[in-house]
Amino acid sequence: MHVVLISTYELGHQPFGLASPAAWLKGAGACVTCLDLAVRSFTPELVEDAGLVAFYVPMHTATRLAAAAIEQVRRVNSAAHLCCYGLYAPAGEPFLRRLGVQTILGGEFESGLVELYRRLVVDQADGRQKTEDEGLSTNDGAVSSSVVGLPSQLQPEPRISLAKQVFLTPERGGLPALAEYAHLELAHGDRRTAGYTEASRGCKHLCRHCPIVPVYGGRFRVVQREVVLEDVRRQVAAGARHITFGDPDFFNGPGHAIPLVRELHAEFPDLSYDVTIKVEHLLKHANLLPALRDTGCVLVTSAVEALDDAILERFDKRHTRADVVRAVGLLRDIGLALNPTFVAFTPWTTRQGYLDFLRSIWELDLVENVAPIQYAIRLLILAGSRLLELPEVRALVRPFEESALAYPWAHPDPCVDRLHCDVMRAVKLRRPRHDAYQAVWRLAEDALGASIRARAYHISTQRRPSRKPIPRLSEPWYC
C-alpha cells in the first residue's frame, strides 16, 4: 500500500514528524512518500493511488493549514483513508472528523501509524477477496472508503498513546534538502544550514495554557540516544552545521540531555545547536549551563510568556518576574544567548501593563533577543486547556469554535484588542528588531494616550551600545 505523509508547517524545520514515521512505515513494508507543503506545492499525482494519507499536525498553524490540504486530497482520491497525527490532532478531533479524517493519533504516534497501516492492508485484502467472491470487477484494486475505513467511534488505535517506544533512525531521504529550510544567523553574515531533531517529547510540567498538557498530562518520553546521534550524523552529512533540538524542554531529563550533547560535541566539535528550556529549569540546573555552552549551544529558547506575576500565576508557569531577571543575567554571564517567547496579549493584559512589558524588555536589554512576532502573540485557549479550570476564564470564553480550534474570547477593554491588531500589522513588516520594537512602543503609547508619551518616548528611541550580535534562526518562533 502507498502511504503519503504530509506536513503543512513546522517552524521552518525539515519535519521530524515525517522522517520518523517514514522509517517505521517503511520497516512495516509500506511504500512511503513524504510531502512538506511548507516548501513544496501540492501535487495531485502524489496521492492518486494512496491507500493512506496522514497529516502531521504538531501545532495550531499546521492544523489550520491542513484543513485545505485535506479537501484537496479528498477531491483527488476519495477512497484514501485520512489520518491526522501529532500534538494538535486530539484537540482538533471534532473539526477534523467533519472534514473526513477517519483516524486521530496523538502522543507517541509512530506505533499507531504502523498499526493503522497494517489494519488497512488487511481490510484492503479482505475487500478484494469479498469482491472476487461476489464476482465483481475490482478495476485497479481500489477499495471504497466504506470498506477501508471504520466509523470514528470504532477506531481501534488509541487516540492518545503514551507508550514508551524504541525509536528508529528517521528516514529523511524523501524530504527536500536542508538548505531549503531555516538557517542559523551568526555574526558577520555567517549563515549555518540548520538541521532538526528531537531527543524527547512531552513535558513533566502542567502549565495551564500549554497545548502539550492535555496530551501528555505531565509525562515525557525520550528518544534513544543512539537514534538521536545517528539522525544528527546523517544531517551533518547532508550539510547541517547547526542542529535545533525540538524538545519542549531539553532539561526535562538532564541525565539524558547532557551525556547526549557531550557525545555529540566529541564527534562534531564544530557543530552548534540550540535548545528550549523553561525558566524554572534554567535556575534549577544552572550548574549544567556551562556544559551546554562548552558543547556548542549558542541559543536557548525559553517560554517566558509574561513579565507580570499575576499572569504568570494564572498560567501556572512556576516562575516569577524576578526569576526571569535572574535567568537573563545567568545566561548572559555564561555566554548563552536567550530567545524569549511571550504570550503578550491575554485577558489580563492592560494597556499600561503592555507598555510596562515593553519597558521591561528595554531595561533587561532584550530588544535584539526578541523576535518581533513575540510582541503580538495572543492567548489561544484550546480544547482541554487547564485554563478552563479558572472560573474567570470559563466566564470569559464563548462556545468552542471548531474551525478556529479554540475558545474565542474578547478582552474586557476593546482598546487592548485594537492594540493587538495594530501590533500584529506592525510586526508583519520586515525591519530590524530595534525598529520593530520602536514601532510597537509608539502604538502602545498611542493606546494609552498622549499624556504619557513625553515621559516614556525616550526609552524606545535610544539605542544601547552594540553588543555581540545575537544568534537567531531565520524562521521566528511562532505557533
Side-chain angles (χ1 to χ4, degrees), residues 80-370:
H81 185 102
L82 302 182
C83 169
C84 282
Y85 66 97
L87 191 64
Y88 274 75
E93 180 174 5
F95 173 64
L96 296 171
R97 296 280 190 199
R98 269 186 264 285
L99 292 178
V101 174
Q102 294 144 288
T103 301
I104 297 292
L105 301 173
E108 305 300 279
F109 49 74
E110 285 89 350
S111 57
L113 280 168
V114 170
E115 290 174 17
L116 172 60
Y117 164 74
R118 287 174 174 159
R119 168 164 67 84
L120 296 180
V121 169
V122 171
D123 287 351
Q124 190 177 69
D126 289 348
R128 285 176 177 151
Q129 185 62 52
K130 179 180 179 181
T131 56
E132 289 173 3
D133 290 345
E134 293 173 350
L136 301 175
S137 171
T138 62
N139 294 324
D140 61 354
V143 183
S144 71
S145 58
S146 62
V147 174
V148 172
L150 287 172
S152 62
Q153 65 269 26
L154 297 181
Q155 173 185 321
E157 299 80 22
R159 289 176 58 260
I160 296 176
S161 172
L162 299 182
K164 294 181 179 180
Q165 299 184 141
V166 178
F167 283 82
L168 301 176
T169 303
E171 174 54 64
R172 298 179 178 274
L175 290 167
L178 290 176
E180 298 188 47
Y181 291 92
H183 57 268
L184 179 75
E185 298 176 352
L186 294 169
H188 311 300
D190 184 14
R191 292 159 56 101
R192 294 190 168 200
T193 299
Y196 175 91
T197 194
E198 295 176 4
S200 66
R201 289 182 180 152
C203 184
K204 63 183 182 182
H205 294 272
L206 298 170
C207 303
R208 283 198 179 100
H209 65 301
C210 180
I212 299 171
V213 174
V215 174
Y216 281 89
R219 285 158 287 188
F220 78 105
R221 296 289 179 259
V222 302
V223 181
Q224 289 73 32
R225 189 191 311 174
E226 186 50 45
V227 172
V228 181
L229 290 170
E230 182 58 27
D231 187 28
V232 173
R233 288 185 192 108
R234 295 182 183 185
Q235 292 184 73
V236 170
R241 298 174 57 213
H242 177 86
I243 294 292
T244 290
F245 283 98
D247 310 40
D249 194 315
F250 200 61
F251 276 178
N252 267 320
H256 173 57
I258 294 300
L260 170 63
V261 294
R262 283 179 171 149
E263 190 167 344
L264 182 66
H265 182 67
E267 188 168 350
F268 300 108
D270 296 326
L271 187 71
S272 59
Y273 66 90
D274 68 274
V275 297
T276 297
I277 303 174
K278 75 193 310 285
V279 170
E280 178 185 355
H281 284 169
L282 291 173
L283 300 179
K284 180 179 179 180
H285 302 296
N287 62 309
L288 299 179
L289 297 180
L292 294 183
R293 177 200 59 204
D294 295 342
T295 54
C297 184
V298 295
L299 185 65
V300 176
T301 295
S302 192
V304 174
E305 310 300 38
L307 294 170
D308 179 297
D309 284 341
I311 295 175
L312 290 169
E313 184 175 357
R314 288 181 173 98
F315 283 177
D316 197 15
K317 280 298 295 181
R318 305 297 176 95
H319 70 248
T320 64
R321 174 192 170 87
D323 292 333
V324 175
V325 173
R326 287 175 57 208
V328 169
L330 183 64
L331 289 174
R332 190 164 283 151
D333 290 344
I334 289 172
L336 288 170
L338 174 65
N339 174 38
T341 65
F342 298 97
V343 181
F345 286 91
T346 75
W348 312 284
T349 302
T350 65
R351 285 177 280 168
Q352 180 63 59
Y354 188 74
L355 193 68
D356 291 342
F357 159 68
L358 294 177
R359 181 181 288 107
S360 295
I361 297 295
W362 174 267
E363 291 172 347
L364 291 170
D365 196 9
L366 290 176
V367 171
E368 292 299 325
N369 297 68
V370 178

Side-chain angles (χ1 to χ4, degrees), residues 331-460:
L331 289 174
R332 190 164 283 151
D333 290 344
I334 289 172
L336 288 170
L338 174 65
N339 174 38
T341 65
F342 298 97
V343 181
F345 286 91
T346 75
W348 312 284
T349 302
T350 65
R351 285 177 280 168
Q352 180 63 59
Y354 188 74
L355 193 68
D356 291 342
F357 159 68
L358 294 177
R359 181 181 288 107
S360 295
I361 297 295
W362 174 267
E363 291 172 347
L364 291 170
D365 196 9
L366 290 176
V367 171
E368 292 299 325
N369 297 68
V370 178
I373 189 62
Q374 295 302 321
Y375 301 125
I377 299 297
R378 190 175 189 269
L379 178 66
L380 278 171
I381 303 176
L382 306 172
S385 171
R386 284 193 61 228
L387 282 170
L388 296 169
E389 298 172 358
L390 302 178
E392 61 184 308
V393 172
R394 294 198 301 272
L396 174 76
V397 298
R398 298 194 294 271
F400 189 78
E401 190 174 307
E402 288 184 1
S403 61
L405 303 172
Y407 288 91
W409 61 272
H411 198 283
D413 178 0
C415 291
V416 175
D417 281 339
R418 287 196 294 272
L419 174 61
H420 168 256
C421 292
D422 292 341
V423 171
M424 180 62 80
R425 283 193 292 270
V427 301
K428 285 182 177 179
L429 301 175
R430 291 184 177 273
R431 49 183 154 188
R433 290 188 174 187
H434 180 275
D435 295 345
Y437 173 86
Q438 183 179 31
V440 172
W441 179 275
R442 287 174 173 170
L443 290 170
E445 284 184 328
D446 290 342
L448 267 178
S451 61
I452 196 170
R453 190 174 305 162
R455 177 169 60 86
Y457 179 69
H458 71 282
I459 293 178
S460 67

